[in-house]
Amino acid sequence: MFCQILYCPHCRNALAEMPDMYLCQSCGQSYPIVDGIPSFVDQNTSMDSFDASAFEFLFGMEERHFWHVGRREIILDALRTEVLNVAKSRMLEVGCGNGSVLGYLKQNGVSIEGGDIFLEGLRFCRRRVPSAVLYHIDLMALLFRNEFDVIGIFDVLEHVDDDERALVEIRQALKPGGKLILTVPAHEWLWSAFDVTSHHKRRYSKRELVGRLERTGFDVNKASFYVFFLFPVLAAIRLLGNIWRGTRRADRNNRTPSYPELQTVPLVNEVLLGLLRLERLLLRHTGLPCGASLLVVAQKKQGAS
Ligand SMILES: [Zn+2]
């Protein structure tokens, strides 16, 4: 365990650690430890109605699906390339969910902790990665000040209304000179029913994302598209799919959605994973000019709080 001070998400003063909870002596708020996970999210806002079985379905799918496998390999590669001493850097993944990225990075020697707004996801993550240090937290009110060398946020920023506020929270949680690594879906014109089902608020242009990072106190070290080779096919499918689906409403209760994006077809999956692995090698040396997703590595600006 690390010796650290956690800060009250309500009043931002330091919390006292008790045997079974954290207590804010400034505002009187107490935060329980649930199944070994300190919980700083009001149960009323934590969306407990989320179907926990979805995490199980997603974890199984994410173990095989080329996009998830390829993405976590690209993330590890970017960490090794852009962040020196990965093993010695203390990393937090915000929005770690069921831990499919966290578990992979931990297996590969990254000293990583996880936070998520969904307690069910964290419980699942804990089952998969028993040694993981986890926090039940809201990205909009992080508990940390100058705490982490690296923060990762992978396809999460597009889910929050006020993404600039979220980036400020992340900046404050980073040590001076700390790195942020993030992925988001790219190109607003690729918006489809799948974005709606996924509760996305937006997709990003590269310029827009870089601008938001610079406005919130980051220097951008690397910003590249990925999912490059598949991009023309994906763009055609999305555009045709949008026309075909029309105004069809997504069924949020469907545990195994029928969207082709979530299916893994053997052989096709292997070929597409091979293409993403090729992109990973290219990304070591260059940026890719277009793609369905964006990968950014940024650094907390000197002198930023
Ligand atoms: Zn407080």
Side-chain angles (χ1 to χ4, degrees), residues 30-290:
S30 64
Y31 302 98
I33 295 174
V34 183
D35 300 337
I37 301 168
S39 175
F40 301 94
V41 180
D42 188 336
Q43 295 297 312
N44 295 326
T45 60
S46 66
M47 296 168 271
D48 268 350
S49 59
F50 193 88
D51 184 354
S53 69
F55 285 110
E56 200 135 13
F57 162 73
L58 286 171
F59 195 92
M61 184 270 289
E62 288 169 14
E63 284 295 279
R64 304 182 304 275
H65 194 288
F66 77 93
W67 185 85
H68 290 277
V69 176
R71 183 184 67 151
R72 60 180 173 252
E73 291 179 0
I74 285 171
I75 289 166
L76 177 62
D77 223 57
L79 278 170
R80 285 178 170 159
T81 312
E82 303 288 334
V83 182
L84 295 175
N85 282 324
V86 166
K88 290 183 181 167
S89 298
R90 185 173 169 218
M91 179 172 177
L92 173 72
E93 185 189 352
V94 183
C96 67
N98 58 35
S100 65
V101 175
L102 182 144
Y104 176 76
L105 295 181
K106 208 167 169 65
Q107 272 171 20
N108 284 279
V110 180
S111 176
I112 187 170
E113 299 163 40
D116 203 285
I117 198 165
F118 293 109
L119 193 55
E120 294 86 348
L122 291 169
R123 284 191 178 116
F124 197 82
C125 182
R126 166 58 48 81
R127 290 215 310 269
R128 304 296 302 209
V129 191
S131 63
V133 175
L134 301 173
Y135 311 91
H136 182 210
I137 48 172
D138 183 350
L139 171 57
M140 307 311 288
L142 294 182
L143 320 164
F144 314 101
R145 295 288 174 271
N146 299 319
E147 192 68 44
F148 293 96
D149 301 292
V150 187
I151 293 183
I153 171 165
F154 307 119
D155 294 271
V156 171
L157 203 60
E158 69 275 15
H159 291 262
V160 302
D161 285 315
D162 190 349
D163 55 354
E164 290 200 11
R165 160 99 189 278
L167 290 172
V168 168
E169 289 288 324
I170 290 169
R171 188 198 71 217
Q172 290 172 342
L174 281 169
K175 286 180 184 171
K179 300 269 180 81
L180 162 65
I181 175 167
L182 80 95
T183 57
V184 289
H187 303 298
E188 194 63 31
W189 60 267
L190 276 183
W191 184 269
S192 72
F194 186 67
D195 291 283
V196 178
T197 326
S198 307
H199 303 267
H200 292 171
K201 310 285 186 201
R202 70 192 79 78
R203 302 177 68 94
Y204 287 88
S205 75
K206 187 167 152 187
R207 180 187 290 184
E208 182 185 14
L209 182 60
V210 168
R212 285 180 198 211
L213 284 160
E214 288 175 346
R215 279 198 296 280
T216 51
F218 290 94
D219 292 317
V220 174
N221 299 352
K222 183 186 184 82
S224 175
F225 292 99
Y226 70 104
V227 195
F228 166 71
F229 292 115
L230 187 59
F231 181 61
V233 180
L234 201 61
I237 291 172
R238 283 283 163 92
L239 292 172
L240 292 172
N242 283 352
I243 293 165
W244 183 75
R245 283 186 193 117
T247 56
R248 171 188 152 175
R249 287 185 61 192
D251 178 5
R252 291 182 186 187
N253 296 321
N254 188 351
R255 289 184 185 186
T256 52
S258 60
Y259 290 103
E261 288 91 337
L262 294 179
Q263 307 305 314
T264 46
V265 181
L267 194 61
V268 174
N269 198 56
E270 296 308 308
V271 170
L272 296 179
L273 178 56
L275 290 175
L276 267 187
R277 285 179 167 156
L278 181 56
E279 292 184 28
R280 172 164 57 85
L281 300 179
L282 292 171
L283 281 166
R284 285 181 189 172
H285 308 288
T286 185
L288 299 170
C290 59

Side-chain angles (χ1 to χ4, degrees), residues 5-16 23-27:
I5 299 172
L6 299 180
Y7 294 86
C8 177
H10 280 266
C11 73
R12 305 298 175 127
N13 286 301
L15 292 169
L23 179 65
C24 179
Q25 288 164 333
S26 299
C27 74

